[in-house]
Amino acid sequence: MELRDSSLSRSPKLLVNSDQDIGGLEAAYGLPERQLADGLVDRYFNRAHPLYPFVHETTFRADYENVWINLSVSSIRPSWYALLNIIFALGCEFNYEIPVEKLTNTVSRFVANSRCIILSHIYKKGNLEFVQALLLLCHYLQGTLRLNECWNLVGLMIRTAFSIGLQLDPKDLPLPTVVREMRKRVWWGCFIIDQTVSMKFGRPPSIQASDAEAVPLPLAVDDQYINNQTTISRQPTGRPSITAFFVHTIKLSRVIESVLKSLYNNKRRFPQPTDSGMALSKTEESNILSNVILHDGHLQSWWREAPAHLSQESVITDGDIVQRQRNVLHIRYLQIRILIQRPLLLMVSRQPIEDDFYRAIAIAGAQTCMLAAQQTVRMICDLYHRGLLNSSWYNLYYMFTSIGVLLHIQTMDRSALALLGNPQDQKSIECGMEFLKDAAKSNCLASRYTAMLSRVLDKSSQSHRQGQQVRRNGPSSRQSSKDRQATGKSPTPGMPAPEGDLDINAEMELDAFVFDDLLFETGYAV
């Protein structure tokens, strides 16, 4: 890739700790060859922007064209160059003109450029463009599991957002129409990724939902109908809004927040099969069942309230963008259903349920969890290579966690499997693993997922047989409420890995991520 270097006489040289040596700050302002640059911007707005509309396309494209007219860096804001580079990076995945063997280095260079510019200016003064650039950068880092860096930059992003007043209702501020609407989108984008990363680390978020709601939801109006010549923006009647997808995603984040608060606590764990007889108390069992039913109802309400053009029953065929949004929304629905129903799968697989009514609910929830995992695998295998899903990073993660659920079912004992109707679905596992192995040829993240799941697959049969032998000949695997109180342990749902020595975090160095949390998706990628 040829780079056209621009001069930056008034900016100092800066050495940055990044993926590669970019030769000082001047190199960060270099532009790729025009044809490649145009392609990357076009791919970004066609593939990434409809899902994450944090940049006003009309305004950005006008600035972009002006850059090529006047290549003097001194006339362009550094924050805009930071935004441009991360847009280049996110467009790379969908630009098939870049050779596969050069893709990683090309993306890394653009990411390093954006990071370099951000960190050399943001500590002096922040603005909306820097927050936009950080938001997109954090999505990239989260998707590639560089979670420690993502966590820290999310903190910097939110502090900067506070410093420029994004937490305030923009209708009360003397701002142009476009800026007011972009501030709302960016603020809610900050809220969602803050919730997501905090959830994955088991740490408190920086933005509370009650504080976030001081800012109204963005309008379901697309960029071309938002301009500074009008004070009221309106989507034309009969034209589906691309931005409606993002607005509905914000509403889903509220469901996720309530699920995590009531069903998951990272300080406690659901009992492992090897734990000597631990079991949930009757009160814990009742609380889990009632919360699962409540949250599944909230999820179903959210799903039914989707905009008409995004529902699975929609007859609208308004191009690939709407189809892609519809598919992504469906997979997110399935993944949150797994998150909600997984505690019931664990309940069925880890302990007897004496009450007939409770047992029937738990079995139905476990089967729902399994079916959601199977459907996720089928959708990704069928739709990804047709260009009808979002970035590969998230689909790799969804595939990984769905196969994890199916592998967990393989390790259940015969009595628990009988309750689920003795499901046999080796085909979904094989299809999913084939997808990951194919992706691993050019994607290091897929390689890591494949290595972990392959090890699980290699051990699952042996572990299952050993587990059955322990259960037949060893001590009872149940523990009374009295005994549990004596040990001071009170387990709650948190999907464990299948039996066997599967703690390979040290080998994989996944940002100190707990393997069973990663495998069974206690976190959720948006």
Side-chain angles (χ1 to χ4, degrees):
M1 180 179 66
E2 297 179 3
L3 288 178
R4 184 174 297 158
D5 292 327
S6 302
S7 61
L8 187 62
S9 58
R10 288 183 290 178
S11 295
K13 292 258 185 177
L14 181 67
L15 294 179
V16 208
N17 183 14
S18 59
D19 291 341
Q20 51 186 300
D21 180 10
I22 60 172
L25 189 59
E26 289 91 337
Y29 289 88
L31 291 174
E33 185 269 331
R34 176 70 192 262
Q35 183 177 354
L36 174 60
D38 288 351
L40 294 177
V41 170
D42 291 343
R43 299 305 192 284
Y44 169 82
F45 281 108
N46 179 260
R47 296 297 299 270
H49 180 72
L51 304 180
Y52 311 107
F54 305 135
V55 178
H56 188 253
E57 181 176 1
T58 307
T59 302
F60 181 88
R61 284 188 178 277
D63 289 339
Y64 175 76
E65 293 300 327
N66 287 335
V67 167
W68 294 101
I69 295 172
N70 179 10
L71 290 176
S72 172
V73 174
S74 61
S75 63
I76 300 296
R77 302 175 300 279
S79 56
W80 188 87
Y81 262 101
L83 185 57
L84 174 66
N85 271 279
I86 194 61
I87 283 176
F88 281 158
L90 295 176
C92 283
E93 178 183 353
F94 310 109
N95 190 320
Y96 304 113
E97 297 173 4
I98 300 175
V100 172
E101 63 274 12
K102 296 183 179 180
L103 184 60
T104 298
N105 287 337
T106 303
V107 173
S108 295
R109 184 177 185 86
F110 289 134
V111 170
N113 288 349
S114 182
R115 185 198 297 111
C116 173
I117 297 171
I118 291 169
L119 296 181
S120 65
H121 291 87
I122 199 168
Y123 295 111
K124 302 173 185 176
K125 185 178 181 180
N127 60 30
L128 181 60
E129 287 174 336
F130 275 132
V131 180
Q132 290 169 310
L134 279 168
L135 183 52
L136 293 175
L137 176 58
C138 289
H139 270 279
Y140 167 80
L141 295 172
Q142 181 207 188
T144 53
L145 288 187
R146 293 160 68 173
L147 296 177
N148 284 326
E149 183 178 2
C150 182
W151 169 263
N152 289 314
L153 288 181
V154 164
L156 177 61
M157 174 190 70
I158 291 171
R159 289 292 187 186
T160 307
F162 284 147
S163 73
I164 64 173
L166 289 191
Q167 75 279 13
L168 304 175
D169 187 343
K171 75 176 183 179
D172 302 324
L173 303 175
L175 297 169
T177 301
V178 170
V179 175
R180 283 204 304 269
E181 196 57 31
M182 288 306 106
R183 284 171 70 94
K184 289 192 288 185
R185 292 188 195 177
V186 172
W187 170 253
W188 281 105
C190 291
F191 171 77
I192 290 174
I193 199 166
D194 178 44
Q195 292 286 325
T196 302
V197 178
S198 298
M199 172 175 60
K200 289 189 172 185
F201 276 108
R203 299 168 183 169
S206 299
I207 306 174
Q208 300 301 317
S210 56
D211 296 328
E213 290 171 355
V215 177
L217 293 179
L219 298 175
V221 178
D222 294 337
D223 290 1
Q224 64 267 38
Y225 307 114
I226 302 174
N227 58 70
N228 293 329
Q229 283 67 52
T230 59
T231 56
I232 300 177
S233 303
R234 185 181 66 84
Q235 185 78 9
T237 303
R239 181 177 292 276
S241 167
I242 301 302
T243 313
F245 171 90
F246 177 63
V247 177
H248 205 53
T249 298
I250 296 171
K251 297 175 182 177
L252 179 61
S253 70
R254 297 169 177 172
V255 176
I256 297 171
E257 182 184 34
S258 62
V259 169
L260 294 169
K261 283 183 177 179
S262 62
L263 286 177
Y264 293 91
N265 184 336
N266 288 338
K267 294 180 180 179
R268 299 184 293 176
R269 291 266 174 226
F270 204 95
Q272 295 271 8
T274 52
D275 291 338
S276 180
M278 292 181 66
L280 296 170
S281 69
K282 298 301 181 185
T283 300
E284 290 170 326
E285 190 178 90
S286 300
N287 287 339
I288 290 171
L289 286 162
S290 61
N291 279 319
V292 165
I293 294 171
L294 176 66
H295 294 308
D296 194 74
H298 291 160
L299 180 64
Q300 296 306 316
S301 295
W302 171 84
W303 181 238
R304 286 192 295 268
E305 292 168 2
H309 66 283
L310 296 178
S311 71
Q312 293 301 300
E313 293 76 25
S314 174
V315 295
I316 298 174
T317 56
D318 197 18
D320 287 351
I321 289 177
V322 171
Q323 291 184 52
R324 193 177 300 121
Q325 288 184 330
R326 190 180 299 147
N327 294 330
V328 170
L329 204 68
H330 191 188
I331 288 182
R332 289 181 179 178
Y333 161 77
L334 293 172
Q335 289 292 297
I336 299 307
R337 205 151 200 215
I338 290 174
L339 193 69
I340 293 171
Q341 300 293 342
R342 190 181 62 223
L344 301 189
L345 174 61
L346 285 172
M347 193 179 291
V348 170
S349 64
R350 295 291 185 248
Q351 69 178 63
I353 305 171
E354 297 177 2
D355 185 273
D356 292 341
F357 179 60
Y358 283 2
R359 189 186 313 115
I361 295 174
I363 291 171
Q367 291 171 332
T368 298
C369 184
M370 176 184 66
L371 291 173
Q374 292 170 338
Q375 196 169 357
T376 298
V377 171
R378 287 196 299 268
M379 287 188 68
I380 293 175
C381 287
D382 179 50
L383 297 173
Y384 178 74
H385 292 296
R386 293 162 55 190
L388 295 177
L389 292 176
N390 56 345
S391 171
S392 64
W393 305 319
Y394 296 120
N395 291 295
L396 292 172
Y397 184 66
Y398 298 151
M399 184 69 80
F400 180 74
T401 56
S402 298
I403 294 175
V405 167
L406 299 178
L407 285 177
H408 172 76
I409 293 172
Q410 280 196 349
T411 68
M412 292 167 60
D413 62 30
R414 292 179 181 177
S415 61
L417 282 172
L419 292 174
L420 300 183
N422 292 309
Q424 299 293 329
D425 191 27
Q426 193 63 29
K427 184 177 180 180
S428 290
I429 295 175
E430 291 173 354
C431 175
M433 288 300 297
E434 190 64 31
F435 176 87
L436 291 175
K437 289 177 182 177
D438 183 60
K441 297 174 183 177
S442 58
N443 188 301
C444 60
L445 182 60
S447 299
R448 297 158 82 185
Y449 285 151
T450 302
M452 285 185 282
L453 288 174
S454 295
R455 184 163 179 174
V456 176
L457 280 166
D458 291 341
K459 289 177 174 288
S460 62
S461 297
Q462 176 185 357
S463 299
H464 183 47
R465 288 194 299 269
Q466 291 175 347
Q468 287 181 318
Q469 187 68 27
V470 168
R471 283 187 285 272
R472 283 195 298 267
N473 301 331
S476 169
S477 62
R478 313 300 176 196
Q479 181 185 36
S480 68
S481 176
K482 181 178 179 180
D483 291 337
R484 184 174 60 257
Q485 291 172 3
T487 61
K489 297 180 180 179
S490 179
T492 56
M495 181 70 95
E499 299 170 66
D501 179 16
L502 300 177
D503 184 12
I504 58 175
N505 291 319
E507 298 172 24
M508 306 304 294
E509 294 183 349
L510 289 175
D511 274 324
F513 217 84
V514 178
F515 176 68
D516 59 344
D517 284 349
L518 184 62
L519 179 59
F520 291 101
E521 201 199 27
T522 48
Y524 168 65
V526 295

